[in-house]
Structures are given as C-alpha cells and as structure tokens.
Amino acid sequence: MSRILAPITSCPIEFTTDQSEHSHPIILVAENDESFASEDPVAASWAKTNHFTGKSGAILVVPDNDGTASRAYLGAGDGSDAFITGNLFKQLPEGEWYFANLPENPLNLFLGLGLGSYKFSRYLQTEGDKKLKFTLPENIDRSELKRLVETTFFVRDLINTPTNDMQPDTIEEAIRQLGRTYGANVTSIWGDDLLKQNFPMVHAVGRAGSVAPRIIDLRWGEVNRPKVTLVGKGVAFDSGGLDIKSANGMLLMKKDMGGAANVMGLARLIMDAKLPVQLRLIVPAVENSISGNAFRPGDVLKSRKGLTVEIGNTDAEGRLILADALAFGDEDKPDYLFDMATLTGAARVALGPDVPPFYCNNGDLGREISTLSLNIQDPLWQLPLWKPYQKKLSSRIADLNNVTTDGFAGSITAALFLQKFVDQAVNWAHFDIYGWTPAEKPAFPIGGEAQGIRTLYTFLKGL
C-alpha cells in the first residue's frame, strides 16, 4: 500500500454514567417559554440581556458570582429538531455537564452532541484540546452511542480525506483494517486479474488510473444466519473520464467514494454490535481517470452478468462498476442486498443534499425502511422503479446504454440500470446518496457525511 491511513478522529466528549458533584445542568427551553427563569432572577436577567428566547439551537450559559459557568439553557424551539445539541461542544466551557430535563427518547440529542464535536484535523498543524464530560441517563446505552458516533466519524474521515491519500489501494487497506479489527476475512482481485475473473466493467473504468482498480470482498459472521450483502461505489476520484467534468464539477469528487465509505460504516456497525447476520461487503474501487487506455464514449463493454453496455457517457461510470459488483453479490443469493452510491446529480435536484432517494424491489421492505428513517431522523425517501422508463436505456448495438438521451428522471433510470444486474436477491435496495453536508448545521459540519446507515442498521437489528 502506498498510502497510510490516518487514525479515526476521536470524540472529544466523554460520556459517563456517574454524575459528579461538579457537574453543571443544561436545561432545555421551548421557544418563548419564559417560565424557565420564573424562579431564577439571575437567569431571567441574563436571558433578557442576551436575547435568549428558546429559539432552536440557541445556547445561554449563565455565570456564577465568580464568573464561572454555573448552568446553561438550550433552546429547543418547537421540539422538532432532535440534533439541536450539535453546537454545545463549541459553545460550552470545559467541564462536566448533564441534562436536567430530557424528552422520552433522548438518544438523538446525545448523538447530536457527539456528532457536533467532529473536526477533520488531519492536515492542520494545530488541533484543539477542549474536552467535555456528559452524564448519560439510564435509558441510554453508552456502548451503542459510542458505536454510532465513532462510526459516523469513520465515514466522515474516509470521505474528507483527499484523493492523494485515499486511492483504491487505501480503500482496500481501510477494509482490511476493519477485517483485522472484527475478525473478518478480506480478499481482493485487482489489475488484469479482474479480466481473468470476469469483472470487465470494473477493469474498464479503472484501468486509466495510476493505482490499479480492484474488487474488495469482506465476509463476516456465522453461516445459517440471514445473508446481508452490502455494495458500495468506491470511485476514489471522478474526473469524468474522456467526457471530462468542468473544474468546478471536479472540486468535490474526492467524495465519489462516499457510497463505499457508508457501506463500510454500516459493516462496522453490524460487526461492532455483533448482529446475528452473515455479512458480506463488496466494494469496487477505482479512479475514473484519463489516459491513453481510458474507456471511450461509444465503446461497448461486456459485463460480469453477460449483458453488453454501450457507453453513452464516461462520466456515468459508477453504475458500471456497481453493475459488476451487484452481479457478483447477487450470485450468492443474499436475503438482503443493499447498495449505496453517490450516483446522480438528478437525485440532488429532486430531493436536495439531505434526503437521499432510494429504490426497492420489495414494497413491504421499502415501506419499512421509509418509516424507520423518519422515526429516527435519518431521512430517506423512496422513489419508484418506473418500468416504462427502461426504454430510455436502450441501445441499437448493445443490450443497454449506460445513460439516457434526454436526461429526464436521471436517478430513476440509473436505478433501473442497476436493477438489470440483480436477479436472485428477493430484497434489494439502492440508495443514491450525496455523502456530503454542503452547509453547516448543528451536528453536521461541512464535509463528508453518513447517510442512511443508521436506518439500515436499525432495520437489521430487528431481523
């Protein structure tokens, strides 16, 4: 391996179950609820001076007579934002804290608290050393909270790392490191061996890169358990290939391996929690680059499944490598086959960066995923696999084209393309994620993001 993985960013908040006498309270306040300070004239005066009204995410730290913090108030707004705690780490002074009042299911408040403390500092000369300690209530599982926070940091770190330090071989090393940590078996097929072992589209897309393309395959768990196979798009950088992107279009293309990062995060959650499943993780890892041997518009590629694909655009490369990987995973007849990819700009136009669309071949499964995602505030929105649009992918010289000619329904037609390579999985779902937070929000700093994996993890816990 030519690059070295950086350690996972650690959470600077310590969560404890033992509340000390030095711990300060944080009180949640609904917007325009003035009763919180009715028995506390100091707090009432301080709130008026600082224009604190309980607006969602607003923080008011009340000092003692000696000027040190005695307590804090956190605006809960109308109560609809479960991640309002995301700004606490930045605004609270160091020390020990606890929540004096909490909703019935407070997990997301503590999750938001942890996620808001994230800072990607790998390339910064100075790092903050601020530390906070928070007391957890009895109904919060500290191990589960730690698992969710650390895994999100893991996904963010992978996506935030620029391509010079996150190439296909580094993605493989990250998966191998997961395997070593959790006792999983990891194998890979790379370079020209992809042709010998029938991954022609992975090879075609990645052969122009300076680091050889590869298929990485992790297996974990006991046989005779439900088979769960995860597939993630691992494009370390996407120049667009010969149909080259603009300069602006390439600026965020280090995140084009966000699908791989997210399924790696989901695999980490599954293995860390020791869920009773037979897990398989498949990542096709490539760089879509430009060289004399790059695949071309108009080429016809043979796929692992045997279908031939005419290349209408080399910038629609993600679906090509996913097609080979999905066919590979489908051969094993998994009970559940989930793939994630930063696949189309059309998905962002339709639903924006915060709500990834997904597609499912099983109506009951799709409804369950939708309901779960809204309940735990990890939003996903199901769009239809609209069969009449399949004809948009037709080709006069091959079984199908990798793009349409009119550009309409781009996310749907990409999902329909992928569905052509899934025959045997009764339960298949495709997630067209963005993997990035473009505007700062409490708990969600600008940069790489985990999307949908809490929902799928919650679903798999219920099997």
Side-chain angles (χ1 to χ4, degrees):
M1 302 300 168
S2 58
R3 276 150 291 275
I4 299 174
L5 281 173
I8 298 173
T9 299
S10 59
C11 181
I13 299 175
E14 178 185 351
F15 294 102
T16 180
T17 55
D18 299 318
Q19 183 176 316
S20 78
E21 60 181 16
H22 304 294
S23 191
H24 307 297
I26 299 174
I27 300 96
L28 296 174
V29 179
E31 190 162 12
N32 297 319
D33 179 9
E34 298 180 358
S35 64
F36 77 96
S38 59
E39 298 180 4
D40 190 338
V42 173
S45 175
W46 199 243
K48 184 176 181 179
T49 299
N50 289 276
H51 308 289
F52 177 82
T53 62
K55 183 179 179 180
S56 181
I59 298 168
L60 178 72
V61 178
V62 180
D64 254 336
N65 291 333
D66 61 3
T68 59
S70 64
R71 58 203 178 283
Y73 295 90
L74 174 62
D78 62 4
S80 61
D81 185 357
F83 299 104
I84 53 171
T85 49
N87 286 332
L88 282 174
F89 177 78
K90 296 175 184 175
Q91 297 192 34
L92 288 179
E94 282 194 333
E96 300 179 36
W97 298 88
Y98 70 96
F99 286 100
N101 58 332
L102 282 169
E104 185 177 349
N105 297 307
L107 175 61
N108 280 356
L109 286 177
F110 285 95
L111 182 59
L113 175 64
L115 297 185
S117 70
Y118 175 85
K119 182 177 178 62
F120 185 65
S121 58
R122 176 174 179 176
Y123 301 98
L124 298 175
Q125 290 186 349
T126 57
E127 297 182 28
D129 56 0
K130 181 178 179 180
K131 302 288 184 183
L132 295 180
K133 180 183 284 190
F134 266 82
T135 304
L136 293 176
E138 292 182 356
N139 61 342
I140 294 293
D141 182 337
R142 182 168 58 171
S143 296
E144 180 78 340
L145 177 62
K146 182 173 183 284
R147 180 178 302 124
L148 292 170
V149 171
E150 288 182 349
T151 298
T152 302
F153 283 18
F154 170 68
V155 173
R156 289 174 176 177
D157 280 358
L158 289 171
I159 299 173
N160 285 332
T161 302
T163 308
N164 57 306
D165 286 321
M166 187 56 65
Q167 279 276 354
D169 56 354
T170 332
I171 295 171
E172 177 179 343
E173 177 55 26
I175 294 173
R176 288 190 178 278
Q177 189 166 296
L178 274 179
R180 289 191 291 270
T181 300
Y182 295 106
N185 181 60
V186 180
T187 58
S188 68
I189 304 165
W190 59 281
D192 289 343
D193 283 348
L194 290 167
L195 295 176
K196 297 175 184 177
Q197 300 199 41
N198 195 23
F199 296 95
M201 293 205 293
V202 177
H203 182 274
V205 172
R207 68 193 181 206
S210 60
V211 177
R214 62 203 64 214
I215 281 274
I216 309 143
D217 189 356
L218 175 148
R219 297 173 187 250
W220 174 91
E222 302 175 13
V223 295
N224 301 322
R225 298 288 191 177
K227 290 183 180 179
V228 176
T229 297
L230 311 177
V231 177
K233 173 186 170 185
V235 177
F237 188 83
D238 183 16
S239 69
L242 291 175
D243 288 312
I244 191 168
K245 294 178 183 287
S246 67
N248 282 339
M250 285 191 223
L251 283 176
L252 285 182
M253 282 303 99
K254 69 176 183 179
K255 79 170 188 65
D256 214 20
M257 44 71 69
N262 270 273
V263 292
M264 290 161 67
L266 179 54
R268 185 184 190 277
L269 289 173
I270 291 167
M271 294 187 290
D272 195 74
K274 298 180 175 63
L275 296 191
V277 300
Q278 189 179 161
L279 174 67
R280 190 177 183 193
L281 169 68
I282 301 171
V283 172
V286 304
E287 181 177 356
N288 187 23
S289 193
I290 298 173
S291 183
N293 66 341
F295 76 119
R296 296 164 290 264
D299 282 357
V300 174
L301 304 181
K302 188 175 180 181
S303 68
R304 180 178 182 84
K305 189 176 175 60
L307 293 171
T308 54
V309 180
E310 181 184 5
I311 304 304
N313 194 303
T314 63
D315 197 20
E317 84 298 332
R319 65 198 67 183
L320 301 174
I321 64 172
L322 282 173
D324 273 359
L326 281 170
F328 185 39
D330 191 57
E331 292 162 9
D332 202 30
K333 299 180 181 179
D335 297 295
Y336 296 93
L337 177 59
F338 297 140
D339 76 80
M340 302 187 109
T342 53
L343 204 61
T344 70
R348 312 291 78 79
V349 173
L351 297 175
D354 299 342
V355 186
F358 78 99
Y359 304 84
C360 190
N361 67 347
N362 181 312
D364 290 338
L365 175 62
R367 284 185 287 274
E368 186 169 357
I369 290 173
S370 293
T371 301
L372 268 177
S373 76
L374 296 176
N375 286 345
I376 68 172
Q377 297 195 340
D378 183 26
L380 297 165
W381 198 264
Q382 187 173 11
L383 292 182
L385 289 161
W386 190 249
K387 289 185 178 180
Y389 287 166
Q390 284 180 345
K391 61 185 178 183
K392 292 176 177 290
L393 294 165
S394 62
S395 165
R396 289 192 297 271
I397 64 170
D399 294 318
L400 67 164
N401 201 299
N402 73 327
V403 294
T404 65
T405 56
D406 59 17
F408 292 150
S411 183
I412 294 175
T413 54
L416 289 169
F417 179 92
L418 295 178
Q419 191 179 26
K420 291 279 189 181
F421 299 87
V422 178
D423 285 332
Q424 303 189 68
V426 177
N427 299 292
W428 166 68
H430 158 62
F431 300 83
D432 191 345
I433 66 171
Y434 192 47
W436 190 265
T437 299
E440 188 95 10
K441 296 177 293 182
F444 303 97
I446 293 173
E449 194 52 72
Q451 292 185 306
I453 64 173
R454 284 194 299 118
T455 295
L456 295 179
Y457 170 61
T458 302
F459 168 75
L460 293 170
K461 284 200 298 182
L463 291 181

